[in-house]
Amino acid sequence: MKLLYLSLCLLALLPMTTNAQDIQVRLNHLALQVKNLETSREFYKDVVGLPQISDPFNDDIHAWLDMGGSQLHLIEGGKDEGEKDKNNHLCFSVDDMDAFIEKLRKHNITFSDWPGKEGAITTRPDGIQQIYFQDPDGHWIEVNDDHFG
């Protein structure tokens, strides 16, 4: 009897469950808290190369940038979180690592490999090259040459 009751309870739940394959999930945006909106906006536009897009707030504390299918939302204000951990990072892929490194040098941005050796490039076991640097607020950024296939 208990088994029948349990089976009926489980059957009653089935229509309420959703198959994960039926739900489309994509990254919409990442939000970063920044100390100075203009400094960070210029960094992500000029150094990283993200185009600014319109935002619904149209105020002095938000800036939205396009990340090729998702967005980066910069929000000015809040408290300083202290030193940032490299494991928490944004990652962008570029089609020309050498040209991107030259762009960093032009903007006097230092980069390193994963262990932290300045000017060095990490090569993953799959051959993808990676570099790491920080934005004006200390958020870590990885840039790699993964061409998505």
Side-chain angles (χ1 to χ4, degrees):
M1 186 66 160
K2 285 182 182 179
L3 183 58
L4 178 62
Y5 179 73
L6 183 60
S7 297
L8 289 174
C9 289
L10 289 174
L11 283 174
L13 291 176
L14 285 178
M16 297 187 320
T17 61
T18 303
N19 184 348
Q21 294 175 348
D22 295 339
I23 300 172
Q24 295 291 318
V25 178
R26 68 173 179 83
L27 177 64
N28 180 272
H29 73 271
L30 296 171
L32 287 181
Q33 187 174 25
V34 298
K35 295 177 207 162
N36 183 292
L37 184 65
E38 190 56 35
T39 300
S40 293
R41 177 189 356 239
E42 289 176 13
F43 177 85
Y44 281 97
K45 281 175 59 179
D46 299 341
V47 176
V48 178
L50 302 180
Q52 187 169 348
I53 57 176
S54 63
D55 71 79
F57 300 102
N58 197 26
D59 58 16
D60 294 329
I61 63 167
H62 295 89
W64 289 15
L65 299 113
D66 181 48
M67 293 194 307
S70 60
Q71 302 168 1
L72 176 61
H73 296 179
L74 303 176
I75 307 167
E76 186 175 74
K79 61 181 181 180
D80 185 7
E81 300 171 6
E83 186 176 343
K84 310 292 192 269
D85 187 313
K86 193 186 284 186
N87 283 304
N88 297 320
H89 62 269
L90 295 171
C91 179
F92 300 100
S93 294
V94 296
D95 58 359
D96 187 338
M97 182 67 86
D98 293 332
F100 189 83
I101 288 172
E102 189 56 38
K103 185 177 189 181
L104 290 179
R105 290 184 174 134
K106 177 182 162 198
H107 287 278
N108 296 313
I109 307 290
T110 59
F111 66 91
S112 67
D113 61 4
W114 177 254
K117 182 178 177 187
E118 192 173 309
I121 300 170
T122 297
T123 302
R124 296 186 329 206
D126 60 1
I128 300 299
Q129 294 185 317
Q130 306 165 293
I131 58 171
Y132 297 86
F133 56 99
Q134 291 178 287
D135 77 2
D137 291 284
H139 299 286
W140 281 100
I141 299 171
E142 171 190 339
V143 169
N144 67 38
D145 63 356
D146 185 353
H147 301 273
F148 304 101

